[in-house]
Amino acid sequence: MEKNKQPLSIIKIGGNIIDNPAELTNFLADFSKIEGNKILVHGGGKSATKMAQSIGLVPQMIEGRRITDKPMLDVVVMIYAGEINKNIVAQLQANNTNAMGFSGADGNLIQSIKRNHPTIDYGFVGDVQKVNTPLLETLINSGIVPVFCAITHDKNGQLLNTNADTIASELAIAASEVFEVTLNYCFEKAGVLTDVEDEDSVIQQINSELYSQLKEEGAIHSGMIPKLDNCFNSLSKGVQKIKIGHHRMLQNKAALHTTITL
């Protein structure tokens, strides 16, 4: 008989929280109060773009995705794995949370492959291949709170810029083998909205049937669709539950948010 799995909360925060120091401080205080096993995954925010522009690089985007050439990779590694990651770890330590910062290369925790697209060269962008679940489990069972930035590696010495939403979902899928995982995507809105301008228009529960219907009706903002597709993929691979909303939901069970289930 399978033994009861320990709960694990994985929380992903986006650039909108990272770019606002007061918001980040509030979030990290809330995150520190979450009891039990937890992992934090963070994106990059605007700092990498600002740093790139300050040294004369012109950030390139195609279809909303960043092209990462070698000079841009140097900047994102420096900002994501360095400045942002270490500042978050230091603030968590100040909140008595024993955090350690990781890229995918550390302990071979997340191995990726350089993206191979038929028509677009994304540069040094990684698609996740595998997660080192035994090491992740050891860290968590030792009372460590891992903090992952959006940098992985290919096991051949190459670092790769990797989508933070994807890292969060791949960690959740891998960890669900040994933990009962809830994945939380925290951003500036209260959840998945039917009207982007109206914070009260939160769809509180979405299952796969309703999701298909909402997509057909055009009731979901197109920018949210890749995130939701990612969520249903994670649920189909063992993740227990996914929540999307403002980080208020981490401490306040009554706060409006969206819960996603199969």
Side-chain angles (χ1 to χ4, degrees), residues 158-196:
Q158 181 62 59
L159 294 170
L160 296 164
N161 187 10
T162 306
N163 180 283
D165 280 356
T166 306
I167 286 177
S169 72
E170 292 290 347
L171 284 169
I173 290 164
S176 65
E177 291 171 26
V178 282
F179 296 100
E180 186 171 312
V181 178
T182 300
L183 176 55
N184 302 267
Y185 285 107
C186 295
F187 68 150
E188 76 280 13
K189 303 285 185 192
V192 179
L193 309 175
T194 52
D195 176 358
V196 180

Side-chain angles (χ1 to χ4, degrees), residues 206-214 232 235 260-262:
I206 301 179
N207 61 20
S208 39
E209 197 178 329
L210 177 60
Y211 180 47
S212 300
Q213 189 186 323
L214 291 167
F232 282 104
L235 290 167
I260 301 168
T261 55
L262 285 175

Side-chain angles (χ1 to χ4, degrees), residues 31-140:
F31 177 80
S32 294
K33 290 177 192 141
I34 297 170
E35 291 183 2
N37 305 317
K38 54 194 172 185
I39 293 173
L40 179 57
V41 180
H42 63 83
K46 297 190 182 103
S47 329
T49 302
K50 281 186 193 153
M51 172 63 80
Q53 288 165 338
S54 76
I55 58 173
L57 299 178
V58 181
Q60 288 175 282
M61 307 287 277
I62 293 183
E63 295 167 0
R65 291 180 184 270
R66 190 192 291 276
I67 303 295
T68 309
D69 60 11
K70 182 65 174 74
M72 195 64 209
L73 179 70
D74 291 345
V75 170
V76 296
V77 169
M78 182 166 59
I79 298 293
Y80 299 176
E83 183 191 13
I84 295 173
N85 189 267
K86 297 310 159 202
N87 276 320
I88 286 174
V89 169
Q91 286 193 55
L92 287 173
Q93 292 291 352
N95 280 290
N96 297 313
T97 291
N98 194 16
M100 283 179 77
F102 296 100
S103 73
D106 296 294
N108 189 27
L109 276 160
I110 307 172
Q111 198 174 314
S112 292
I113 188 166
K114 188 170 179 283
R115 179 169 299 162
N116 184 6
H117 189 279
T119 56
I120 301 166
D121 181 5
Y122 284 101
F124 296 99
V125 167
D127 292 319
V128 175
Q129 295 297 127
K130 63 178 182 182
V131 171
N132 184 345
T133 313
L135 178 55
L136 193 63
E137 185 182 10
T138 299
L139 288 165
I140 291 165

